[in-house]
Amino acid sequence: MQISFETFLDTGPAFRSGLPAAVYTDPDFHALENRTVFRSNWVFAGFSHEQERPGDLRPVTIAGQPILLARDESGNLRAYHNACRHRGLKLVETPANHGRLIRCPYHSWAYALDGTLKAAPYFCGRNQTPPESFPVDELGLIPIRCETWHDWVFVNLDGQAPPLDEHVAPLRRQLGALPLDDLKPVATLEFGTVRTNWKALMENFIEPYHVQFVHRTTTDQPLVSHSTVLDEHCLGSKCDIDDGAAGTGKNTLAVSSRFLTLFPNFVLGTYAPNQVGVHLNTPDGVARTHQKRVIYVHREAVLSEQEIEQTRKLWYEVHKEDHEMCERLQLGRLSRSVAEGGLLSPYWEDSVRRFQELLVESVAPATE
Ligand code: FES
Ligand SMILES: [Fe+2]
């Protein structure tokens, strides 16, 4: 793989280029991202409310690796490499409650929820009890740095990222007084696999340029009401419109909003008066991304089944409109004619530009 960033970095032209197309289509580049971007940053991995009881386990994939999120007996969420220390079997395949022990189905090694190895039956012969020389203390599940901010679980594979508080600070700043503590999840939309590179979905969320064209029937947020947000690694856009005009009875989105991200993959949107959506984009290879969205409202809000269903339907349609564009973007980028990255609007896509610069900065140490 030899991808040149020369055109992307060239400050000469009046209109700057986006990232080269190969960054979205080359499996080797995706492998590089897995060794860099998804190792060195806080990566959004899951929703805390989906595993509330001790023993609730959830397998996830981060940086192409099997990882296990586990609620321990003290109520903390922990992350481990999801591989048995005996011969490496993937320990947990589907989300479920496993009680107090995580038992490998192959030769029955068993781990406590704090990761310690509790049993390795008959490993040293016919006797159940291993000899003292067996290094039981060294054979626990290998932990990964994991922290939760409100309902959102983040992991940092290399353990070197700044504290999570620092990471979320610019997003917190952009959200102002929004009471994140008071949110409750009311619906989850599972989109499964979208046939596009993860960055296409992130960039699509960050830029407001497409909204009035792609979401013509589902939203009513004119382009002139939007502006972009660039606050350190918190990127996105905001839309301020007269909320008095909202609630016209049309089943569309016609309210002031914040569309914000944290590099690399955390996405949070606020939709006045009090709805928040968070979506999780998990790469599954260079041209496939799993996506799901959780919708939150204020904990005191009382919504009827019908209102929740209407909200789900609206967001399902909005996402599908975005998916179609992102999947076609993926296909178009196989054309040699856009190999150098196309053009970015200096006004509406400066936030995308910053996202792309962060990406280049994140992979740079591995390419020097
Ligand atoms: S691979 Fe897990 S017990 Fe053998
Ligand atoms: Fe969109």
Side-chain angles (χ1 to χ4, degrees):
M1 171 196 55
Q2 195 59 48
I3 297 177
S4 166
F5 291 102
E6 208 173 310
T7 309
F8 176 73
L9 297 171
D10 186 357
T11 53
F15 296 98
R16 307 283 302 272
S17 291
L19 287 170
V23 159
Y24 301 83
T25 59
D26 184 336
D28 288 346
F29 188 82
H30 185 56
L32 175 66
E33 289 176 332
N34 281 339
R35 295 195 302 275
T36 54
V37 179
F38 289 101
R39 260 184 75 71
S40 60
N41 289 292
W42 281 110
V43 176
F44 179 35
F47 299 90
S48 174
H49 77 272
E50 291 183 337
Q51 42 187 140
E52 283 180 333
R53 292 178 306 148
D56 279 353
L57 307 181
R58 176 165 283 267
V60 295
T61 303
I62 308 284
Q65 297 192 46
I67 294 196
L68 178 63
L69 301 179
R71 179 76 67 187
D72 71 13
E73 304 212 26
S74 339
N76 296 318
L77 257 186
R78 300 180 182 234
Y80 302 106
H81 287 279
N82 189 4
C84 180
R85 297 297 308 281
H86 175 217
R87 296 216 353 240
L89 190 110
K90 184 178 179 186
L91 276 173
V92 176
E93 276 272 75
T94 49
N97 187 279
H98 284 238
R100 303 171 76 169
L101 282 182
I102 306 168
R103 191 176 291 281
C104 179
Y106 205 3
H107 312 95
S108 216
W109 282 32
Y111 306 85
L113 297 174
D114 67 1
T116 50
L117 178 62
K118 289 295 190 191
Y122 307 111
F123 182 67
C124 297
R126 293 172 188 227
N127 214 331
Q128 270 270 28
T129 316
E132 278 193 8
S133 57
F134 182 63
V136 64
D137 295 345
E138 294 163 26
L139 290 169
L141 296 179
I142 298 180
I144 295 166
R145 193 175 176 206
C146 174
E147 284 187 39
T148 302
W149 180 57
H150 297 285
D151 191 33
W152 308 304
V153 184
F154 291 81
V155 298
N156 167 227
L157 279 171
D158 75 357
Q160 303 297 311
L164 186 64
D165 276 358
E166 261 176 53
H167 180 67
V168 302
L171 175 59
R172 189 62 273 184
R173 186 159 57 228
Q174 289 300 321
L175 292 174
L178 188 80
L180 294 173
D181 272 338
D182 292 340
L183 298 176
K184 66 173 177 187
V186 289
T188 299
L189 281 86
E190 298 270 5
F191 293 106
T193 300
V194 189
R195 288 164 301 167
T196 193
N197 182 266
W198 69 278
K199 297 185 292 298
L201 290 165
M202 292 300 298
E203 293 173 1
N204 175 75
F205 188 85
I206 286 171
E207 57 93 346
Y209 190 18
H210 74 279
V211 173
Q212 65 177 359
F213 308 114
V214 174
H215 307 302
R216 201 187 304 275
T217 58
T218 46
T219 70
D220 197 359
Q221 296 177 321
L223 190 59
V224 288
S225 309
H226 285 83
S227 55
T228 54
V229 173
L230 293 86
D231 187 347
E232 299 183 35
H233 54 281
C234 174
L235 304 165
S237 68
K238 54 187 176 183
C239 168
D240 288 305
I241 58 180
D242 175 8
D243 288 336
T248 54
K250 288 193 302 174
N251 189 21
T252 60
L253 196 60
V255 290
S256 294
S257 302
R258 297 288 178 273
F259 305 94
L260 300 169
T261 67
L262 284 172
F263 185 84
N265 74 328
F266 185 72
V267 177
L268 183 149
T270 71
Y271 311 93
N274 57 12
Q275 191 194 120
V276 169
V278 169
H279 56 273
L280 174 58
N281 292 319
T282 306
D284 175 24
V286 69
R288 290 161 56 92
T289 307
H290 288 281
Q291 191 181 72
K292 79 195 271 186
R293 177 194 187 93
V294 174
I295 298 167
Y296 302 85
V297 296
H298 192 278
R299 64 179 168 192
E300 280 164 14
V302 181
L303 271 75
S304 67
E305 280 299 313
Q306 196 191 0
E307 284 170 312
I308 293 173
E309 199 42 47
Q310 223 172 27
T311 307
R312 290 173 65 92
K313 189 168 171 291
L314 172 63
W315 282 114
Y316 188 83
E317 283 173 29
V318 172
H319 278 253
K320 283 294 166 196
E321 289 166 346
D322 285 322
H323 294 170
E324 186 190 344
M325 294 303 112
C326 291
E327 290 185 341
R328 285 173 66 170
L329 202 54
Q330 190 71 18
L331 295 173
R333 283 179 175 164
L334 296 172
S335 163
R336 292 176 66 88
S337 65
V338 290
E340 297 214 328
L343 294 178
L344 291 175
S345 159
Y347 192 84
W348 301 113
E349 292 170 308
D350 55 348
S351 44
V352 170
R353 169 88 205 170
R354 181 68 194 132
F355 173 86
Q356 298 183 349
E357 286 167 355
L358 288 174
L359 186 91
V360 174
E361 284 166 23
S362 266
V363 300
T367 54
E368 280 162 1

